[in-house]
Amino acid sequence: MARPTMKEVAGLAGVGMKTVSRVVNGEGRVSRETRARVEAAIAATGYRRNEVARSMRGMRSGQSTVDIGLLLGDLTNPFFAGVASAVIAEARGRGYAAVLASADEDPLAERAAIDGLLGRQVAGLLIVPGGRDYGYLRPEIEIGTPVVFVDRPGGGLSADEVVLDNAEGARMAVRHLAAQGHRRIGAIVAPSRWATSERLRGFRQAMRAEVGTIDATLIRRLSTGSVAEAERSARELLAVPDPPTAIFTTTGFMTQGLLRALGPRRDVAVVGFDDFPLADMLPVPLSVVAGDPVVLGTAAAQTLFARIDGWGDPPTRRVIPPTLVPRGSGEIPPPTGARTTRRPGRP
């Protein structure tokens, strides 16, 4: 299936190609009626303006253009910076360049960003999805533009995925805390997305296996996921009767909020999911479950280039295992007198 052309748009709208060019590029005068016909033809054919060709006007001979597109999540998250660096390095090693875009987890802005990348006639797309339905990309796959979802699956579309084993990472954290003697283990959970939902699922599984019960009052699920909200939630959690002796956090922002709430306290064990800069330099170095963004980004880019090179197998999901990094905060024992045994009769 070939990519729709301007000639097809012109034929469907019953106008000349110069008229289509004026509408597409916003140049010259076009009547309202003619513009409406051209825009309807663009929508019907799925035509996208070739941003590469447009940008070539005035470019020096031999200047290269962008070859693959990478749409990231929240750029303030150091994890995604690591993913981007790995993708850029892998692309450069293959003689490709990469263009980056971000929608800050906004599905509407994300759709516009993806349209912009596709308008550059990229050879493939790497997407850290923030939306729920990517069925609109099916025509792109059908004409040969490969899509790889990174860190999370993309709903509504069968495509390659490269993700962390989030549930196992949470199980590792709980098993580690339980091995120190903790039974009152709380959790501060970022807003529900696939990754954090998997982490909560793993937390619950491990609590049943290691402790034998789950106290729902010790699980705090946030609505926005900001550091400030995490701090407020952590203060509330620490103030409940019979508070937790250990806390698991599902993202780096959740961990930072918890650390602010703890202040100088050294009596609560902490294991956070996701590492962040200087976590090992804290007064009590932070124990974390870490997914390597370089491994994730490299694996995603390699999958994309395999598709570009003609790999024709059905879509796959590649799962990257995380690592538990014990540094000190996750090894704090429960206070003297805290319950450290399993409930009788429970597994």
Side-chain angles (χ1 to χ4, degrees):
M1 181 177 178
R3 190 181 297 276
T5 66
M6 187 179 291
K7 185 176 181 180
E8 292 176 54
V9 174
L12 185 59
V15 299
M17 289 181 61
K18 286 186 177 180
T19 300
V20 176
S21 178
R22 291 191 188 101
V23 172
V24 169
N25 295 309
E27 299 170 349
R29 293 182 179 180
V30 180
S31 71
R32 183 177 301 176
E33 178 184 352
T34 299
R35 181 179 298 277
R37 290 209 315 274
V38 172
E39 290 175 346
I42 289 172
T45 60
Y47 171 79
R48 296 180 187 278
R49 180 174 66 181
N50 188 332
E51 295 289 354
V52 173
R54 186 169 183 259
S55 66
M56 288 293 287
R57 299 169 186 169
M59 289 177 64
R60 297 189 308 272
S61 175
Q63 185 173 344
S64 64
T65 59
V66 168
D67 295 299
I68 65 169
L70 170 61
L71 180 73
L72 295 168
D74 183 359
L75 284 178
T76 64
N77 189 329
F79 184 84
F80 292 128
V83 171
S85 295
V87 169
I88 292 169
E90 187 69 20
R92 185 183 300 119
R94 294 171 180 265
Y96 282 72
V99 61
L100 276 60
S102 174
D104 198 25
E105 311 290 354
D106 181 341
L108 292 178
E110 178 187 76
R111 177 70 181 267
I114 289 174
D115 284 344
L117 291 172
L118 290 171
R120 302 181 73 95
Q121 309 293 296
V122 292
L125 278 176
L126 294 162
I127 299 175
V128 177
R132 297 182 181 275
D133 187 359
Y134 293 86
Y136 63 89
L137 288 174
R138 195 170 295 111
E140 291 294 329
I141 291 180
E142 290 173 353
I143 64 174
T145 306
V147 174
V148 177
F149 292 110
V150 188
D151 191 50
R152 313 160 190 162
L157 184 69
S158 180
D160 294 303
E161 301 166 354
V162 180
V163 299
L164 294 176
D165 193 340
N166 292 281
E168 176 56 21
R171 290 190 289 265
M172 292 167 65
V174 173
R175 287 195 294 263
H176 185 70
L177 292 169
Q180 315 307 312
H182 294 280
R183 296 296 176 263
R184 298 285 291 170
I185 303 174
I188 301 177
V189 185
S192 181
R193 296 189 182 277
W194 181 82
T196 50
S197 295
E198 283 291 289
R199 293 170 190 181
L200 179 57
R201 181 173 70 86
F203 173 83
R204 292 179 181 276
Q205 289 174 338
M207 286 295 292
R208 293 189 186 97
E210 300 296 326
V211 179
T213 187
I214 299 172
D215 186 342
T217 66
L218 301 186
I219 299 176
R220 297 302 167 100
R221 306 184 68 169
L222 277 58
S223 59
T224 65
S226 68
V227 173
E229 186 186 16
E231 180 181 0
R232 290 193 300 271
S233 182
R235 292 185 186 281
E236 294 170 359
L237 183 57
L238 293 166
V240 302
D242 195 9
T245 62
I247 298 176
F248 167 66
T249 54
T250 62
T251 70
F253 290 155
M254 301 300 94
T255 307
Q256 292 174 49
L258 171 60
L259 294 177
R260 288 184 180 183
L262 285 171
R265 290 181 60 172
R266 302 289 185 269
D267 59 338
V268 178
V270 176
V271 175
F273 207 119
D274 292 339
D275 209 353
F276 55 85
L278 302 182
D280 59 337
M281 300 296 291
L282 295 170
V284 178
L286 184 68
S287 298
V288 297
V289 174
D292 189 331
V294 173
V295 172
L296 188 74
T298 300
Q302 289 173 346
T303 301
L304 184 71
F305 284 117
R307 292 296 183 192
I308 292 172
D309 293 340
W311 180 41
D313 287 5
T316 63
R317 171 179 287 184
R318 184 170 177 181
V319 180
I320 307 298
T323 302
L324 177 70
V325 185
R327 295 188 179 124
S329 71
E331 293 68 61
I332 296 173
T336 303
R339 174 157 49 86
T340 59
T341 58
R342 296 178 184 268
R343 292 180 60 183
R346 299 302 297 263

